[in-house]
Amino acid sequence: MNDKPNKLITDDGLRLDGRRADEIRPMKIEIGVLSRADGSCYLEWGRNKILVGVFGPREAHPRRLQRADAAVIRYRYNMASFSVEDRARPGPSRRSIEISKVSREAFEPVIMAELYPKTAIDIFVEILQADAGTRTAAINASSIALADAGIPMKGLVTSCAFGKVDGQIVLDLNKEEDNYGEADFPVAMTQDGEITLLQMDGHLTPEEIKKGFELVKKGCKEILEIQQTVLRKKFETPVEEPEAEPEAKIVDTESEAAETEPSLEYAPEAAAVEETIEEAEELEAEPSEEVTETVPEAEELEEIVKEAEVEVVDGEAIEEAIEAETEEEAIEAETEEEAIEAEDESKGPWKVVKDPSESGSRGENDE
Ligand code: UDP
């Protein structure tokens, strides 16, 4: 443990970390750092390092905790054993249970829990590194993680502490100021200025509290701007759809493909697209070559067709000849028949009768 410094505020009015009385520590925020959480936030505030994961609304377990009219909000503040100078005892403590309770209550007025009956909204806070003001930092981070999870809220919750150090009211106490100062007063408020958390450790006069509130309002306003900036940055940035790009390029016309250079990130897909386009071009080019090459073949075909026509003409002639031949044969056959008939008639004493009815009964001939 470090010994108490002689002065926490120097003669020129600066604090040991160089801040003025009304200044907050530098804040750094990242959203969506946990892939399995519905919403998450990593926040650094001075030397504080905090991770928050939000889960839900999801079915509340055990069921006896379910509320028929609203979602149950659960807030768990946990300090990692390595987060402080002296190892913190793992597991819940009186302090962590108290911080979890007051922090949950800080969110209850803004979370629209009535929209999700029988469900639970879980906020898990892990303090990775502590340097005083962890509950306020955790509330700021939780607010962003809840927004990241898409939990309907009436507004963001912002939190900051003021305190008394060397007899002066200062904003956002660090570890030394918290340890050796006279008072610590954490506050949380909605963006409309409604107070949702208020605690006091130490002794303050009403005037000091009034002055402290002026500082806290200013601090919370600055924090709200940071929160809104990071949330806007995340949700206003158009979502990139890398999968859609190669497909779009395949469909793209040649001119469009020429206009837009493929990004390095998708170079393999772009190469594949180029190959496809080249192949398509080759395929388009091939049939025209074939046409020019097959011109002689076409001529040959024409000749074959002409010959076939000639053959068809010959075929007609043959048909005519066959017809003529058959006619001749028929005439010959008729003359032959007549000759035979004449011969038969001349051969015997009987008369050749074709139809017995024509010339009486056979008996006549037999006679
Ligand atoms: N602290 C610690 N060990 C503990 C609890 C707290 O070293 O078991 C330190 C830690 O740095 C914490 C600071 O004391 O940030 C102030 O703790 P406090 O209970 O006032 O809560 P906080 O200001 O962090 O919300």
Side-chain angles (χ1 to χ4, degrees):
M1 222 33 192
N2 295 334
D3 292 332
K4 184 182 185 287
N6 290 332
K7 281 184 177 179
L8 290 167
I9 297 177
T10 58
D11 293 336
D12 50 8
L14 294 177
R15 293 149 76 178
L16 293 183
D17 56 12
R19 284 185 290 154
R20 295 191 180 282
D22 62 348
E23 282 180 338
I24 58 167
R25 289 171 283 182
M27 194 179 276
K28 184 185 147 189
I29 297 172
E30 263 183 77
I31 309 179
V33 289
L34 301 175
S35 57
R36 289 196 197 97
D38 295 310
S40 57
C41 177
Y42 171 73
L43 181 142
E44 285 182 11
W45 195 4
R47 287 197 291 261
N48 286 313
K49 293 185 178 182
I50 286 146
L51 189 60
V52 178
V54 169
F55 297 80
R58 59 183 178 180
E59 194 179 353
H61 286 289
R63 287 194 172 187
R64 63 185 158 79
L65 292 180
Q66 286 182 0
R67 280 183 59 182
D69 58 341
V72 176
I73 300 162
R74 295 187 291 206
Y75 192 106
R76 198 201 68 169
Y77 168 102
N78 182 57
M79 190 169 244
S81 55
F82 53 81
S83 65
V84 288
E85 208 173 331
D86 301 320
R87 179 179 177 274
R89 189 187 168 89
S93 63
R94 286 175 67 89
R95 177 179 171 272
S96 71
I97 292 166
E98 172 224 308
I99 293 175
S100 298
K101 180 187 179 289
V102 295
S103 302
R104 189 195 72 236
E105 289 169 355
F107 281 101
E108 278 176 347
V110 294
I111 294 174
M112 296 164 83
E114 66 278 7
L115 298 176
Y116 304 103
K118 295 184 179 179
T119 66
I121 296 166
D122 288 300
I123 305 157
F124 292 100
V125 171
E126 296 294 325
I127 308 298
L128 306 175
Q129 190 171 289
D131 193 60
T134 54
R135 78 193 67 195
T136 55
I139 288 170
N140 291 328
S142 300
S143 199
I144 294 166
L146 282 161
D148 184 36
I151 306 290
M153 290 191 289
K154 291 169 190 164
L156 294 170
V157 176
T158 309
S159 185
C160 191
F162 71 88
K164 192 175 169 186
V165 175
D166 284 356
Q168 279 196 45
I169 300 298
V170 295
L171 191 61
D172 182 27
L173 279 65
N174 63 26
K175 179 79 189 324
E176 284 170 319
E177 292 168 340
D178 184 279
N179 278 3
Y180 306 115
E182 294 99 80
D184 178 24
F185 202 114
V187 176
M189 61 177 75
T190 66
Q191 56 191 62
D192 302 328
E194 189 188 332
I195 305 295
T196 61
L197 176 141
L198 194 135
Q199 292 184 290
M200 188 171 84
D201 181 17
H203 297 282
L204 291 167
T205 65
E207 288 73 35
E208 286 170 337
I209 292 172
K210 206 176 169 188
K211 194 180 176 190
F213 260 102
E214 292 306 311
L215 291 185
V216 152
K217 278 185 198 168
K218 178 185 169 289
C220 284
K221 194 168 172 263
E222 284 174 33
I223 294 162
L224 179 65
E225 278 168 19
I226 296 168
Q227 287 173 316
Q228 288 174 335
T229 304
V230 292
L231 283 167
R232 279 201 196 102
K233 198 179 164 195
K234 172 161 184 188
F235 292 105
E236 283 181 1
T237 309
V239 179
E240 287 177 22
E241 289 174 10
E243 288 85 10
E245 209 170 318
E247 280 178 20
K249 286 201 171 168
I250 289 165
V251 177
D252 274 353
T253 58
E254 279 176 28
S255 58
E256 277 174 334
E259 277 169 23
T260 52
E261 280 287 310
S263 69
L264 285 173
E265 204 179 336
Y266 304 109
E269 285 85 348
V273 170
E274 269 178 31
E275 271 174 33
T276 318
I277 290 165
E278 276 170 25
E279 277 171 22
E281 281 172 355
E282 278 170 24
L283 279 170
E284 272 175 25
E286 273 170 19
S288 60
E289 281 168 24
E290 272 176 20
V291 168
T292 47
E293 278 170 15
T294 53
V295 166
E297 284 172 25
E299 280 172 8
E300 273 174 35
L301 271 173
E302 269 177 33
E303 277 170 25
I304 291 162
V305 170
K306 277 178 191 171
E307 277 170 25
E309 278 171 6
V310 171
E311 275 172 20
V312 168
V313 173
D314 290 350
E316 279 172 12
I318 289 162
E319 263 177 40
E320 277 172 23
I322 290 164
E323 272 175 28
E325 220 169 279
T326 44
E327 268 175 32
E328 273 173 28
E329 274 173 17
I331 293 160
E332 272 174 27
E334 270 177 29
T335 47
E336 249 175 63
E337 218 173 280
E338 279 168 15
I340 290 162
E341 275 175 18
E343 203 176 302
D344 288 343
E345 276 174 17
S346 60
K347 268 182 186 174
W350 57 84
K351 188 185 170 185
V352 176
V353 178
K354 283 181 185 173
D355 187 351
S357 62
E358 271 181 22
S359 55
S361 65
R362 254 190 187 278
E364 276 183 22
N365 296 332
D366 293 339
E367 281 173 359

